[in-house]
Amino acid sequence: MEVLNLGILAHVDAGKTSLTERLLYAAGVIDEVGSVDDGNTQTDSLALERQRGITIKSAVAAFTIGDVGINLIDTPGHPDFIAEVERALSVLDGAVLVISAVEGVQAQTRVLMRTLHRLRIPTLIFVNKLDRAGARYDGVLREIAAKLTQEIVPMGEAAYLGTPEATFKPIVQEDALVEVLTRHDDALLQRYVDNEPLSLHQALIAQTHQAIVHPVYFGSAITGAGTEALADGIRELLPRARTTGVPLDGTVFKVERGPAGEKIAYVRMFSGTTQVRERVRYGDADGKITALEVVGEGPAATIRAGQIGRFWGLAEIRIGDTLTDFRNVSATEQHIVSGSAFSPPTLETVITPRKRSDKGNLRVALTQLAEQDPLINLRQDDLRQETYVSLYGEVQKEVIESTLATDFGIEVDFRETTTICIERIAGTGQAVEFNKKDANPFLATVGLRVQAAPVNAGVSFELEVELGSMPFAFIKAVEETVRETLHQGIHGWQIPDARVVMTHSGYSARQSHAHAVFDKSMSSTAGDFRFLTPLVLMTALQEAGTTVHEPMHRFRLEIPTDTTRAVLAALARLRAIPQVPALAAETSTLEGEIPAAAVYELEQQLPALTRGEGVLESAFERYQPVTGLIPERPRTDHDPLNRREYLLHVQRRV
C-alpha cells in the first residue's frame, strides 16, 4: 500500500483537531467523533490540550483512504509552538491548511502558509465551520487570494451557509480551473487557445504536487459536510511518500518516554530500510534497535522508506537527529536536512518547586522535557539553587506546569519572564598564568588568546602549542572549560561565537613518594587546568571587551489606515524600527524590527490602538547591540571576574 504523510495545520481554534476526528471516524478508526469542548479527542493527549482546546504536541494517527495509507500528523497552531509545527513539516508529503469560514484568514494562518510555500509542501485548503452563524464563501475566497495566495481553485459550491444543514457540493468550475492552471503551463495555454482537448484534472494534480496551485474545499468538521470531498482530494491530489532504496536515511521529529521511562523516537523514513536488532548511527552516537513499531501497522520487524516508525533502544537520540546506516560513516556527513533551523527562544524564567523536597525530582523531570524538545534550554544556578528555562511565549509556562503536575506529580511556580541576550567579542585579548609563578595557586600554565568569530560560526578552539607539550587530557580539560566558561561572558550572557587559541601550556610531572603514593600537591591534575582556565579566559575577555546584543523580531502589522499615526507612535515608544508604511485606502501594512522584549507589550496595546482590527506577525530575526543601560545577567558560577572570591570558593572545594 502506498503511504502519504499528511499534516493538518491551522490557526488556533480553526478546527483542525475536529477535522482530524472526523477523518478518523470516516475511516472507521474511532467509533464516535471526539469533541474539543468535551475534551475527548483522539490526538489531544495532554491534559492542558483537552482543558484549553489547543493542540501543543504533534501526534500521529493512521488510517486509510481507498488504497492509500495515511499517517496523519496533527500539528499545533498556537504561535508559542511554531517550533513543533516546523518540526512536523520536515516529515510531510502534503498538508491540509484549515481556515475558519467565520474568522477567515488569521495572522498565524499567513505564517503557516508562508512556511508551507518556503518548504514547497503540496497543500489543500479546507474552509471549516460552514455551519456556524456568520460563515462566508465568497468573502473567505477573496481573503485567501488577498492574504495567502492567488493560486487557488474552488473545488465546489456551498449552500445553506450558517445553518446545521450547510452543504458542499463538489463541482468542477472549469473556467476558474483553466484560468489558474494556464498561468503556469504554457503548453496547456496553447492547447486552450487552439481549442484542443484539455486534461485539466491531470494538470491540477501536477501543479498541486509542485505546490503551485492550492485546491480549496469548504465544509464542517462537526457535521461532516464537505469532508468526504476533502478525503477524495487528499487521495487524488496529494503526492505519495517518495521511496528510494539506499542509503538508510530517517529524521527524528519527536521523542517521548514510555511507561518504564525508556526513550521512544518517532522517525520518518526517507530512504532505505532497517530492522530490529540492527545497529544504526544517529547524531554523534550509535545504538541497536531493540523494538520497532510502524505507525498504522503495529509491531514490526522491518521498516521501509516512506513510513513513520516508533523506535526503542536508542538511548541518546534527540529530536532532529538523522538515522543512517552504522556501516556508512559518510552518510551523516552527506545528509542534508530539508527544512529550516529553528529560531532561538528569546525569553527565560526561573522555575521553582512549591515543595522544597521536589528540587531533585524537578531537575530530573526538566531534563527529560528538554530531551523531548531541544528548544527548551535549561540553565542551572548552583549558587542560588535555581533552574532557568527558556521559552518562546507565555503559554509554554502553562504547558510545562501542566506536564510536570500530570506526568511527574510536581507543582511549580514561575518568576517574571525576562529576555535572553548574548555577548559578542569586540576585539582581541590574551592572558597567561605560569605554573609556580606570581599569584597562580595551581600547578598549571595556561595562555589563551580570544577574538571575535563570524556570526553563527560557534566556538573554535585551536592550539599554538605543541600537541605533545603536555598530556592530551590536560589540553582537553582546557578546551572543555573554555566552552563551558563562554556560557557566561563579562556581563553574564552567553558568547555563542568565538575563536580561542591556546598560546602557552605547562605542567608539573607526576611525583610519587617512596611507596609509590601519588602526591597531588606536587603533580599537575586536570583539575588544576579546569580551575585556572576561567581566570585566564576572563582576563583575556576583559582585554578584548564584549558588547551585549538583544534579540530583535521581524514584525508585520496590518492595521486600519486611519490608525497608522497612533500605531507608529506606539512603535517609537517600544524602540521599534519600522520601514516606510505601505498605505492603502482601508488597510495599511507596517513592517520592521522590534526588540523581543517589547513584542508582548505591543500585542497587549494593539487591540486598543486599532479598534481590535490590527493583525501582528513576528518572528526572531537577529541580534543587535543594546543601546543605553547594559543589562546584566546574574552569574551561576563562582565568578572568575572576582579573583579573590573565586579562589576562596575553588580552594575550599579542593
Side-chain angles (χ1 to χ4, degrees):
M1 179 180 291
E2 292 183 304
V3 176
L4 165 61
N5 295 299
L6 178 72
I8 294 185
L9 302 98
H11 187 269
V12 174
D13 202 32
K16 65 183 179 299
T17 301
S18 300
L19 178 59
T20 300
E21 295 290 311
R22 176 59 62 178
L23 292 173
L24 293 175
Y25 174 74
V29 175
I30 56 178
D31 296 329
E32 61 178 347
V33 179
S35 166
V36 174
D37 294 334
D38 295 338
N40 59 353
T41 55
Q42 177 82 6
T43 50
D44 284 347
S45 57
L46 295 182
L48 186 65
E49 294 179 314
R50 299 178 185 276
Q51 174 188 332
R52 295 202 37 168
I54 60 174
T55 305
I56 296 164
K57 294 288 184 181
S58 59
V60 182
F63 62 98
T64 59
I65 299 178
D67 59 347
V68 181
I70 308 291
N71 289 328
L72 186 58
I73 302 171
D74 188 38
T75 58
H78 197 282
D80 283 359
F81 308 107
I82 191 64
E84 285 280 350
V85 176
E86 292 213 11
R87 195 175 298 155
L89 291 184
S90 68
V91 301
L92 298 183
D93 301 307
V96 174
L97 181 64
V98 184
I99 299 172
S100 168
V102 180
E103 290 86 7
V105 175
Q106 301 291 297
Q108 190 65 14
T109 318
R110 295 202 292 269
V111 173
L112 293 171
M113 192 62 173
R114 280 204 299 272
T115 306
L116 290 165
H117 274 165
R118 177 169 51 80
L119 299 178
R120 299 195 64 79
I121 295 175
T123 303
L124 308 182
I125 297 174
F126 182 72
V127 182
N128 192 26
K129 301 186 179 181
L130 206 59
D131 58 321
R132 297 283 182 90
R136 299 165 296 147
Y137 180 85
D138 291 332
V140 174
L141 284 175
R142 285 195 295 271
E143 279 190 35
I144 294 172
K147 297 179 178 181
L148 296 183
T149 174
Q150 294 184 343
E151 310 308 325
I152 56 173
V153 178
M155 298 301 290
E157 297 177 350
Y160 309 111
L161 277 69
T163 70
E165 291 76 32
T167 61
F168 177 75
K169 184 178 181 181
I171 297 175
V172 177
Q173 301 180 19
E174 189 166 313
D175 291 343
L177 195 58
V178 168
E179 181 182 350
V180 173
L181 295 178
T182 53
R183 283 205 291 264
H184 307 282
D185 189 335
D186 292 340
L188 186 67
L189 176 61
Q190 187 62 50
R191 287 198 298 274
Y192 175 74
V193 171
D194 295 340
N195 203 25
E196 295 179 6
L198 304 176
S199 302
L200 292 179
H201 188 67
Q202 292 302 317
L204 177 61
I205 292 174
Q207 293 193 24
T208 303
H209 281 197
Q210 298 171 48
I212 295 173
V213 169
H214 307 285
V216 182
Y217 296 84
F218 283 73
S220 168
I222 298 298
T223 67
T227 54
E228 185 177 345
L230 174 65
D232 290 340
I234 291 170
R235 179 177 58 83
E236 295 176 7
L237 301 178
L238 291 179
R240 312 293 190 262
R242 295 183 299 276
T243 60
T244 57
V246 290
L248 175 64
D249 181 5
T251 296
V252 180
F253 67 95
K254 181 178 180 179
V255 174
E256 64 183 16
R257 291 270 178 176
E262 75 279 16
K263 275 190 181 181
I264 305 172
Y266 284 74
V267 180
R268 159 68 199 270
M269 297 291 293
F270 286 98
S271 68
T273 61
T274 189
Q275 57 192 1
V276 178
R277 294 187 295 279
E278 188 165 85
R279 202 165 192 83
V280 294
R281 187 180 299 276
Y282 56 91
D284 297 325
D286 59 77
K288 184 183 290 185
I289 303 168
T290 59
L292 176 64
E293 278 188 8
V294 174
V295 172
E297 298 181 11
T302 303
I303 186 170
R304 67 179 188 279
Q307 295 179 321
I308 290 178
R310 302 172 76 213
F311 287 68
W312 280 260
L314 309 179
E316 298 176 39
I317 201 159
R318 291 177 59 87
I319 292 172
D321 282 350
T322 298
L323 241 64
T324 57
D325 194 323
F326 179 70
R327 294 158 296 184
N328 187 3
V329 179
S330 62
T332 304
E333 300 170 0
Q334 296 170 356
H335 178 77
I336 300 175
V337 179
S338 62
S340 63
F342 304 134
S343 301
T346 55
L347 305 172
E348 75 172 358
T349 184
V350 174
I351 182 171
T352 56
R354 292 177 187 169
K355 298 178 183 176
R356 292 180 62 86
S357 58
D358 281 335
K359 273 191 175 181
N361 294 334
L362 176 59
R363 185 182 295 194
V364 173
L366 287 172
T367 301
Q368 289 193 15
L369 291 183
E371 286 175 352
Q372 297 172 25
D373 188 346
L375 299 176
I376 294 180
N377 297 320
L378 301 177
R379 191 168 65 93
Q380 187 66 33
D381 185 342
D382 292 324
L383 300 181
R384 301 171 187 82
Q385 294 296 301
E386 293 177 343
T387 300
Y388 290 79
V389 59
S390 60
L391 303 168
Y392 279 86
E394 293 295 320
V395 177
Q396 274 186 290
K397 286 184 179 180
E398 294 183 52
V399 176
I400 294 171
E401 181 179 10
S402 175
T403 304
L404 289 172
T406 304
D407 295 353
F408 301 95
I410 303 172
E411 295 185 339
V412 296
D413 292 310
F414 296 92
R415 290 194 199 152
E416 182 182 0
T417 303
T418 56
T419 306
I420 302 174
C421 298
I422 64 168
E423 289 183 54
R424 296 204 185 280
I425 299 174
T428 300
Q430 56 187 8
V432 60
E433 295 210 19
F434 293 97
N435 186 5
K436 300 177 182 178
K437 286 188 179 180
D438 304 320
N440 178 7
F442 306 110
L443 297 178
T445 295
V446 175
L448 298 172
R449 183 172 66 249
V450 297
Q451 59 191 80
V455 175
N456 297 327
V459 175
S460 65
F461 182 80
E462 303 169 20
L463 298 178
E464 277 187 2
V465 298
E466 292 291 335
L467 190 58
S469 61
M470 65 179 185
F472 179 72
F474 295 165
I475 295 176
K476 193 66 177 174
V478 173
E479 179 181 0
E480 290 173 354
T481 308
V482 162
R483 296 184 184 278
E484 182 180 342
T485 304
L486 288 176
H487 283 116
Q488 299 181 84
I490 295 174
H491 300 281
W493 304 102
Q494 181 178 2
I495 300 177
D497 306 305
R499 180 172 180 256
V500 182
V501 180
M502 189 171 183
T503 58
H504 296 76
S505 66
Y507 73 107
S508 295
R510 183 183 179 93
Q511 302 289 327
S512 300
H513 293 292
H515 299 289
V517 178
F518 175 58
D519 187 351
K520 278 204 258 184
S521 66
M522 301 168 58
S523 312
S524 295
T525 66
D528 287 303
F529 290 89
R530 292 187 189 279
F531 292 140
L532 179 60
T533 297
L535 290 172
V536 177
L537 180 59
M538 295 309 290
T539 302
L541 280 175
Q542 286 180 304
E543 182 178 305
T546 65
T547 56
V548 177
H549 289 59
E550 64 180 335
M552 298 292 290
H553 279 221
R554 180 183 65 258
F555 73 86
R556 188 175 190 273
L557 271 169
E558 288 189 3
I559 56 175
T561 299
D562 61 343
T563 66
T564 302
R565 181 173 296 180
V567 173
L568 284 172
L571 291 173
R573 289 193 296 272
L574 296 172
R575 299 188 296 120
I577 309 170
Q579 299 172 358
V580 177
L583 300 175
E586 297 182 1
T587 303
S588 296
T589 302
L590 290 173
E591 296 187 9
E593 293 182 342
I594 184 171
V599 172
Y600 181 69
E601 191 174 346
L602 178 59
E603 290 173 345
Q604 300 300 105
Q605 295 182 17
L606 194 60
L609 291 169
T610 62
R611 303 186 299 273
E613 298 178 34
V615 176
L616 170 66
E617 301 172 43
S618 72
F620 172 80
E621 176 71 8
R622 64 185 180 91
Y623 289 97
Q624 80 164 17
V626 171
T627 56
L629 185 65
I630 301 299
E632 302 282 337
R633 190 188 215 181
R635 301 192 71 88
T636 60
D637 57 13
H638 293 301
D639 193 4
L641 289 169
N642 186 332
R643 185 183 184 94
R644 181 175 178 277
E645 291 295 321
Y646 176 83
L647 290 176
L648 280 175
H649 285 294
V650 167
Q651 289 177 320
R652 188 180 299 129
R653 283 175 59 190
V654 174

